[in-house]
Amino acid sequence: SSPFLLLLLLRSSQEAKRVYEFLFKSVHVMSAEDIIIANDYAVLLLHMGDTDAAETLCKRAVNASDSFFGPTHENTLIAKHNLAVGYYDRGEYARAEPLYRQVKQNQEEEPRRRMKKKKKKKKKRRRRRNGEEGEEERRRRRRRRRRNGGKKV
């Protein structure tokens, strides 16, 4: 995992610099893009056979993704899956299995959460159309519209 190989594989030298800072500096506030790049780099390390470095980076990506996106977000689940793959490749099946199960369970629950949100939105729209919307809901909608530059919410 030389810096030159990293520069060639990443899209730009700025991304390579971010990954370098993330890997070698202990304090680094990560953006969403940094987390995704770090996760991609961990996968690259796994493919190259450097499972120790990949495990370290995967753990950091899981922790950062969990705090930034939340435990059930797609990026967090991908990072957890990559960590499980690293454990599996090293023969640590007892550590890999709970992560695989966790990812699988969250993937199955996500469509249900989306459906609940859609139903809630439909119900709000119906209430608004029928004039059943409360005064507080109207105020909230107007505030959001002002924040979004006049676009309907």
Side-chain angles (χ1 to χ4, degrees):
S1 58
S2 71
F4 298 108
L5 178 63
L6 181 61
L7 283 171
L8 288 173
L9 293 171
L10 294 174
R11 291 179 286 247
S12 71
S13 60
Q14 188 178 18
E15 286 179 352
K17 183 181 175 190
R18 278 197 211 138
V19 171
Y20 177 82
E21 287 177 1
F22 174 71
L23 287 172
F24 300 108
K25 293 187 179 180
S26 59
V27 179
H28 178 70
V29 177
M30 296 181 63
S31 67
E33 189 177 305
D34 292 338
I35 294 168
I36 293 167
I37 291 169
N39 203 13
D40 291 344
Y41 185 58
V43 170
L44 174 70
L45 290 173
L46 279 172
H47 287 293
M48 290 171 52
D50 192 357
T51 54
D52 293 332
E55 179 187 351
T56 304
L57 189 54
C58 277
K59 283 181 182 178
R60 293 177 88 177
V62 166
N63 291 336
S65 186
D66 194 27
S67 63
F68 190 86
F69 296 115
T72 58
H73 192 272
E74 181 183 6
N75 291 336
T76 306
L77 297 177
I78 290 170
K80 284 182 182 180
H81 180 266
N82 292 338
L83 181 59
V85 168
Y87 286 147
Y88 186 84
D89 288 349
R90 292 172 73 174
E92 299 177 21
Y93 306 116
R95 292 173 81 181
E97 186 181 1
L99 286 171
Y100 278 129
R101 289 182 189 275
Q102 201 176 31
V103 169
K104 181 75 173 156
Q105 180 184 1
N106 283 326
Q107 284 175 337
E108 290 170 353
E109 289 176 4
E110 187 60 28
R112 284 188 225 129
R113 281 191 208 108
R114 286 187 187 150
M115 286 302 292
K116 283 182 183 178
K117 281 184 180 179
K118 279 185 180 180
K119 284 181 182 178
K120 207 172 185 180
K121 281 184 181 181
K122 272 187 179 180
K123 192 175 182 180
K124 274 186 177 181
R125 269 190 246 127
R126 195 176 326 113
R127 287 179 67 200
R128 202 179 309 152
R129 251 195 328 259
N130 296 336
E132 300 167 7
E133 183 180 46
E135 187 59 34
E136 183 60 33
E137 289 178 59
R138 243 181 259 125
R139 279 192 212 122
R140 235 181 278 139
R141 190 164 35 89
R142 285 182 194 139
R143 271 187 247 129
R144 278 196 313 257
R145 189 179 294 167
R146 273 187 243 127
R147 272 187 253 134
N148 291 335
K151 294 178 186 170
K152 284 193 174 184
V153 181

